[in-house]
Amino acid sequence: MNDVAYLEVLRALLPEAVLTLTALVVLALDLSWGRHRAVPSRMRLAGWVSAAGCAVALGVIFGLSWPAEWKVPLVEISARILHYKAALLALTLAVALLAADTDFTPHAGEYFALVLLATVGLLLLVSANNLLLLFVALELASLSLYLLTALDKRQPRSAEAGLKYFLFGSVAAACLLFGFSLLYGLSGEFYLQEIAARMPRGPLVLDPILVLALALVVGGLAFKIAAVPFHLWAPDAYEGAPAPSAALVASGSKVASFLVLNGVVAVVFGPLGGNAHWGHFAAGWKPLLALLAALSMVLGNLAALGQSNVRRLLAYSAIAHSGYALLAIVTRQELALAYYVITYGLAIVGAFGVVAVVEKQTGGAALEDFQGLARRSPVLAGALMVFLLSLAGIPPLAGFFGKFYVFLEALREPAGAGGRPSLGLLYLVILAIGMSAVSLYYYLQVLKYAYRGDAEESAAPWRASLGTWVISALALAVIWLGCFPEWLLRYFR
Amino acid sequence: MLHWPLYITFAGLLLVWAVPARAAARGARVVALGVALAGLVCGWVGALRLEPQAGLVTLVNGAWVPWPAFRFHLAADGITVVLVLLTGLAAVAGVLFSWNIEHRAREYYSFYLALIGGVYGVFLSMDLFLLFVFYELAIVPKYFLIALWGSTRKEYGAMKLALYSFVGSAMVLVALLATYVVSGIGAAGGPVSFDLPALAKVAFPVSFQQWVFPLMFVGFAILAGLWPFHSWAPTGHVAAPTAASMLLAGVIMKLGAYGALRVAMTLFPQGLVEWQMPLAWLAVAGIVYGALAALVQNDFKFVIGYSSVSHMGFVMLGLVTLTTVGLHGAVLQMFSHGIIAGLLFGVVGRMVYDRAHTRELEALEGLRLARALPFAAVTFVVAGAASMGLPGFSGFVAELQVLIGAWQAFPGLTLLAGVGVMVGVAYTWRTMHRAFFSDRDAAPVALPGPLPPITWPEKAGAALLMLCTLAVGLYPRLLLDWIIPAFNSPMFEGLRKVVTR
């Protein structure tokens, strides 16, 4: 293993350093200044400071001049990766501002410090090019997220959700670690590119250890993105977690996990893709991921149909969305993947933001609790419509272009190396588009309740709060990126 | 100037929200009427400025999304002109017929205008992708208009309609993606765009057309009420508020027929040849089935709903005759049915149902509507006559042309369609008699007082539409002068090659 120049690594990881410092500042501030104050004002203070930390980190990314291709030990920095980090930071910024509006925990400092530390883990994930750092970053993010899920101590559900998430997560981590150790054993290397260079070419099935390593790595990471059949934790975690935590689990953590899955699978196992085209199936990670994608799309969407709780509905729809995004990994189209998961992240953070407001006012997130939302707050209802229709894939919202790019790339994937575009993955695309038609049903159900006003005609309108502003901004972003997708795409070329 | 209605409508949508909450209902409808009128006038002036012989005229063509080359390409030919005018007329009449909406008026009119804007967008777009965006954009407001302001199982009707439309557009999306990918195969200089005129020049392999054409054609035709995918139409029409059913039958169903013609048939003429007979059978089945179903309904609005399925069958039949006269008739029928359906739904929904609070024909028999609401009776007689296809009304010219074309292509099947025409006369006659002119003493509905008289907005809307169907019926060249040269543009070259006569 190479010698590690720690100062250089630290310089490369300046945004992460900023966030870590902010986490410490938040803790200290809450312990000193906030000690004798009311919970809402402590949450607000910690939220604003965390948001400011994210903003500074964003400033570091866009303000400093970074080398074009910077190979530091352990991590890789390029313009593309920096922009991934910026997207994650933007999502965390929104989550922090949404959380600043809540008062579910007296541990304001700890809550926001954990949000920031989870984000540090996610940022490290997208730039790590070393198995060890990858695992450490993943665990930093995961452990923080388990705690964030369990932090609403007033609700027994929250603790249960955290425990469930933790148990499933540790098994997945064990699988992943085992997979990584097999990879190390096979290649004697920790760096992704080096391992990839030592990968055997040829049919995958000849090497049982390699097959095992692939299965374990894919399984471990599929847990993170809640792909079927590794999805069982998701509905409970989404339902029990405090809304801002759920938003972070559903957005930032997913974005990073998808990028890692794409990185590890496409880089390390690159040549062992096999073939997922109809009638030309060959063993490899492509048919494996195609199978996971198909299962996730079908099961996620069908299970979401029967949900009467909006959080669970969003959780199952998130499982379905994992299926669509997996399609982009199968075709190794990172650009389509990036656009898909980032715009998905924006919409889901916004949707959970609306859920948070509704819960705060009505005490629940059942469909009935959304009744009359349009009367009480037309802005929130309008934003919810934008988010859900974007998730359903109605143009010209961002979610539509996300799906469109993924499907287009799937159809354009050549049959063999250097081949012409073919329609070999048409079966998956048809399945995906058919399933989006199913998804429209349950998204419209939510909107129907939100716009139906029979229940309380005289209901008092809700005052605009910080959350409303954040949610409106997210809705505008979803519309804007839908009308002008190039605005986002150019950062990831 | 023909594309201004698109911008005006979306700008008007924002304007509706600028109306102060105190005067929401009155302000919103005045704004909506102004916007609809402005759209109609702009469309008209734009049409007058357009040279019918010029073929496809580009109105605006700007870069939009660089990857993978979507353009904001709006263009018009004679077919566009006809349909833009139809949309303008339906929009104006729709606002006039929803003058009594007081409940959440601002939301109502913003959904209404979003729907109209989407329709304008579809008719004007020449980029396949842009067309698709507007096409889907029209689904959502439709759902809310029905689910929130409708009647009779409104949520069921709205959801059914939304899902049918979405499944249809999902089929179109698959076909569209496949088309894009295949159009680039082989040829190095193959079009890297979704531009319709450019794609129309590509000769797609016949084996590809064989499966992609039915996918795309049926995907669009679901919205046109093609039998057996029509069942959203009657329930949707019945559940919708008056103006929404006018728009649904008047323009939304035309979106499907238009897409089938402009996209599926233009790009894949060989596929049309392969699938001509099955589709013709479906179209005739729709004509006959719709008419027979209308004959046995007891709900006034269901009669009109099924008659729409029957009349749209003529549009589909005209399209698949593969004859010049059939194609002209199909486009003319799109316009004609749009106007007539608007009138019929206006009478049923606004003039009768909103006053009598019943649509049961048996109950209406006791009300002596011809005496109570003479204007409604006159309007329905005119609309019914046009719907039956009496000479002098637009329906006659259009259906005659379709039948001539169909006779040239498949005489046997045409006889069957003729049966549909006769049943059409029967159900219209029966409905007219029972609803307005019956002297049978059925148990009268308990009404709080005399029926309120017909208001001026209703009269204005009905007069506008009656004028149109008469004008086109007496002088069809008003529209045919636009439609006939449109088919000579280079875009339809592939289609012209397979058109036999």
Side-chain angles (χ1 to χ4, degrees):
Chain A
M1 211 180 145
N2 326 35
D3 293 320
V4 176
Y6 286 102
L7 259 182
E8 206 184 0
V9 176
L10 197 62
R11 233 180 69 207
L13 297 178
L14 208 51
E16 285 87 341
V18 170
L19 277 197
T20 316
L21 276 180
T22 316
L24 296 178
V25 169
V26 168
L27 271 178
L29 262 181
D30 191 53
L31 280 178
S32 55
W33 181 87
R35 209 157 160 190
H36 301 295
R37 292 179 203 248
V39 171
S41 56
R42 283 170 59 196
M43 290 295 274
R44 215 168 304 131
L45 173 79
W48 277 108
V49 173
S50 312
C54 293
V56 172
L58 275 171
V60 166
I61 287 176
F62 285 107
L64 299 189
S65 65
W66 298 80
E69 282 288 330
W70 197 11
K71 285 262 169 99
V72 239
L74 299 176
V75 292
E76 192 182 320
I77 303 291
S78 68
R80 197 167 43 81
I81 284 173
L82 283 173
H83 292 139
Y84 286 140
K85 292 188 178 184
L88 288 170
L89 283 169
L91 290 173
T92 308
L93 183 78
V95 169
L97 287 178
L98 285 175
D101 224 12
T102 59
D103 56 354
F104 61 86
T105 176
H107 306 282
E110 289 89 333
Y111 184 79
F112 284 96
L114 282 171
V115 168
L116 293 173
L117 289 178
T119 310
V120 171
L122 300 177
L123 297 189
L124 280 176
L125 263 182
V126 293
S127 61
N129 66 354
N130 176 296
L131 286 185
L132 280 180
L133 184 65
L134 208 63
F135 188 75
V136 170
L138 197 64
E139 282 310 284
L140 174 60
S142 301
L143 286 170
S144 313
L145 289 175
Y146 304 149
L147 287 172
L148 285 174
T149 305
L151 215 66
D152 188 356
K153 291 190 188 156
R154 298 170 309 178
Q155 308 266 8
R157 270 185 322 165
S158 175
E160 187 197 325
L163 189 64
K164 208 161 189 176
Y165 190 13
F166 171 68
L167 287 178
F168 277 97
S170 357
V171 175
C175 287
L176 193 65
L177 195 58
F178 190 22
F180 280 176
S181 62
L182 286 179
L183 277 183
Y184 177 69
L186 283 168
S187 61
E189 285 291 344
F190 277 116
Y191 282 86
L192 299 184
Q193 278 83 8
E194 311 275 326
I195 302 174
R198 281 156 214 253
M199 274 286 147
R201 324 248 142 195
L204 177 72
V205 278
L206 294 181
D207 192 342
I209 301 285
L210 202 55
V211 174
L212 189 62
L214 173 67
L216 287 170
V217 169
V218 167
L221 289 172
F223 163 84
K224 285 277 139 211
I225 57 168
V228 174
F230 307 98
H231 66 287
L232 294 167
W233 58 275
D236 293 314
Y238 281 39
E239 190 186 4
S245 312
L248 190 62
V249 173
S251 63
S253 134
K254 268 204 150 175
V255 172
S257 309
F258 266 112
L259 294 170
V260 169
L261 183 62
N262 187 49
V264 171
V265 170
V267 172
V268 174
F269 295 101
L272 302 171
N275 198 336
H277 285 216
W278 188 257
H280 300 88
F281 291 107
W285 54 264
K286 283 183 181 179
L288 183 66
L289 291 189
L291 179 69
L292 290 187
L295 284 176
S296 304
M297 289 187 291
V298 172
L299 209 129
N301 277 317
L302 294 185
L305 284 179
Q307 301 304 320
S308 59
N309 182 302
V310 174
R311 281 168 172 245
R312 291 186 79 84
L313 187 146
L314 287 175
Y316 279 109
S317 93
I319 294 167
H321 280 278
S322 297
Y324 305 128
L326 276 173
L327 215 57
I329 301 187
V330 171
T331 48
R332 296 183 70 171
Q333 291 297 333
E334 202 178 320
L335 188 56
L337 177 72
Y339 184 82
Y340 187 90
V341 290
I342 289 169
T343 53
Y344 167 76
L346 285 175
I348 200 86
V349 168
F352 269 109
V354 178
V355 169
V357 177
V358 170
E359 270 183 344
K360 196 173 168 187
Q361 304 277 356
T362 65
L367 281 173
E368 287 76 31
D369 294 317
F370 281 74
Q371 189 115 312
L373 179 65
R375 290 235 128 183
R376 294 157 182 266
S377 170
V379 177
L380 280 183
L384 185 67
M385 182 177 342
V386 169
F387 298 135
L388 294 185
L389 293 180
S390 172
L391 292 176
I394 299 280
L397 300 171
F400 170 73
F401 276 92
K403 282 185 185 164
F404 186 84
Y405 286 139
V406 170
F407 298 159
L408 187 66
E409 293 298 352
L411 289 183
R412 272 167 48 157
E413 205 207 18
R420 301 192 313 196
S422 74
L423 297 175
L425 291 175
L426 188 65
Y427 70 104
L428 275 179
V429 173
I430 289 177
L431 186 70
I433 294 181
M435 280 296 138
S436 338
V438 171
S439 76
L440 187 69
Y441 177 80
Y442 55 80
Y443 290 126
L444 278 182
Q445 285 291 348
V446 182
L447 291 178
K448 186 180 84 184
Y449 277 97
Y451 272 86
R452 202 161 66 176
D454 335 330
E456 296 166 67
E457 288 285 334
S458 58
W462 294 341
R463 272 187 316 113
S465 59
L466 173 63
T468 315
W469 290 106
V470 178
I471 290 165
S472 315
L474 286 168
L476 287 181
V478 169
I479 298 175
W480 178 259
L481 292 180
C483 292
F484 304 100
E486 187 63 19
W487 198 84
L488 183 66
L489 284 170
R490 64 190 158 135
Y491 287 108
F492 300 103
R493 286 245 157 76
Chain B
M1 214 169 143
L2 203 59
H3 56 306
W4 286 13
L6 175 65
Y7 314 138
I8 293 173
T9 313
F10 280 114
L13 199 163
L14 299 179
L15 206 60
V16 167
W17 283 100
V19 173
R22 290 178 276 112
R26 202 163 26 126
R29 67 185 172 224
V30 169
V31 170
L33 181 64
V35 168
L37 272 174
L40 177 61
V41 170
C42 282
W44 195 347
V45 174
L48 292 180
R49 285 189 183 178
L50 206 72
E51 175 60 39
Q53 314 296 333
L56 198 64
V57 178
T58 292
L59 303 165
V60 56
N61 189 356
W64 175 29
V65 180
W67 180 52
F70 305 145
R71 300 190 68 77
F72 194 82
H73 184 185
L74 303 181
D77 59 10
I79 301 171
T80 318
V81 167
V82 170
L83 292 170
V84 165
L85 285 178
L86 170 67
T87 313
L89 288 166
V92 172
V95 177
L96 288 171
F97 274 101
S98 44
W99 210 249
N100 59 337
I101 298 261
E102 301 272 346
H103 176 62
R104 300 166 80 175
R106 280 188 300 185
E107 280 165 301
Y108 176 84
Y109 284 110
S110 41
F111 283 126
Y112 182 91
L113 290 177
L115 176 61
I116 298 283
V119 173
Y120 274 129
V122 172
F123 289 146
L124 287 163
S125 306
M126 278 309 146
D127 185 284
L128 186 47
F129 184 80
L130 189 64
L131 188 148
F132 183 77
V133 167
F134 283 121
Y135 188 78
E136 289 226 344
L137 204 59
I139 294 178
V140 178
K142 232 167 35 187
Y143 172 83
F144 284 105
L145 280 174
I146 298 175
L148 298 181
W149 289 273
S151 54
T152 327
R153 295 215 290 163
K154 53 184 179 181
E155 283 169 8
Y156 167 77
M159 187 59 86
K160 189 169 177 183
L161 186 149
L163 289 183
Y164 265 80
S165 333
F166 206 61
V167 168
S169 61
M171 290 164 71
V172 172
L173 182 60
V174 173
L176 190 150
L177 286 166
T179 306
Y180 174 73
V181 171
V182 171
S183 70
I185 283 186
V192 195
S193 78
F194 283 84
D195 206 38
L196 265 175
L199 283 175
K201 291 196 191 101
V202 180
F204 290 96
V206 176
S207 59
F208 174 68
Q209 295 196 23
Q210 259 169 357
W211 68 263
V212 83
F213 171 77
L215 195 67
M216 194 175 256
F217 188 91
V218 173
F220 277 120
I222 285 179
L223 212 49
L226 179 70
W227 189 87
F229 312 106
H230 67 283
S231 84
W232 64 269
T235 42
H237 290 332
V238 170
T242 304
S245 27
M246 291 170 69
L247 289 184
L248 261 184
V251 292
I252 295 284
M253 292 179 94
K254 309 301 169 294
L255 290 185
Y258 175 80
L261 167 67
R262 177 74 86 191
V263 184
M265 290 171 55
T266 309
L267 296 187
F268 312 114
Q270 283 302 322
L272 175 60
V273 174
E274 303 272 342
W275 286 87
Q276 185 188 12
M277 280 324 285
L279 289 174
W281 274 102
L282 292 187
V284 171
I287 295 174
V288 176
Y289 172 87
L292 287 175
L295 191 59
V296 296
Q297 296 302 320
N298 192 35
D299 184 314
F300 200 175
K301 221 172 179 181
F302 263 115
V303 177
I304 314 297
Y306 277 105
S307 87
S308 274
V309 174
S310 178
H311 286 298
M312 285 307 289
F314 278 102
V315 176
M316 301 321 288
L317 183 65
L319 289 181
V320 299
T321 53
L322 281 182
T323 57
T324 323
V325 63
L327 286 174
H328 297 162
V331 179
L332 201 56
Q333 172 74 353
M334 287 192 213
F335 182 87
S336 159
H337 175 250
I339 299 291
I340 297 171
L343 261 181
L344 291 170
F345 278 115
V347 173
V348 178
R350 179 74 184 92
M351 294 186 183
V352 174
Y353 180 62
D354 281 358
R355 291 184 168 75
H357 303 289
T358 178
R359 291 189 310 249
E360 296 297 311
L361 286 174
E362 272 174 20
L364 291 174
E365 273 182 311
L367 285 176
R368 306 269 194 280
L369 280 183
R371 238 168 292 155
L373 303 169
F375 187 85
V378 170
T379 313
F380 193 80
V381 169
V382 172
S387 169
M388 280 188 279
L390 290 196
F393 296 100
S394 58
F396 172 72
V397 202
E399 289 182 13
L400 187 67
Q401 286 199 325
V402 169
L403 286 174
I404 291 173
W407 184 261
Q408 293 172 354
F410 16 70
L413 207 52
T414 313
L415 287 178
L416 209 55
V419 175
V421 177
M422 277 183 267
V423 181
V425 174
Y427 71 73
T428 314
W429 211 251
R430 167 182 175 266
T431 315
M432 202 188 293
H433 178 77
R434 292 188 70 184
F436 290 98
F437 300 103
S438 171
D439 49 7
R440 208 160 68 87
D441 268 322
V445 200
L447 286 176
L451 298 178
I454 304 286
T455 58
W456 71 264
E458 293 164 66
K459 286 184 181 167
L464 177 71
L465 295 181
M466 284 195 279
L467 198 70
C468 289
T469 177
L470 268 172
V472 174
L474 295 174
Y475 191 64
R477 284 191 53 194
L478 271 180
L479 295 183
L480 284 175
D481 279 351
W482 285 105
I483 297 170
I484 292 171
F487 280 101
N488 292 328
S489 82
M491 188 178 178
F492 288 112
E493 196 166 330
L495 192 58
R496 269 205 309 276
K497 276 185 195 151
V498 297
V499 166
T500 41
R501 279 167 280 247

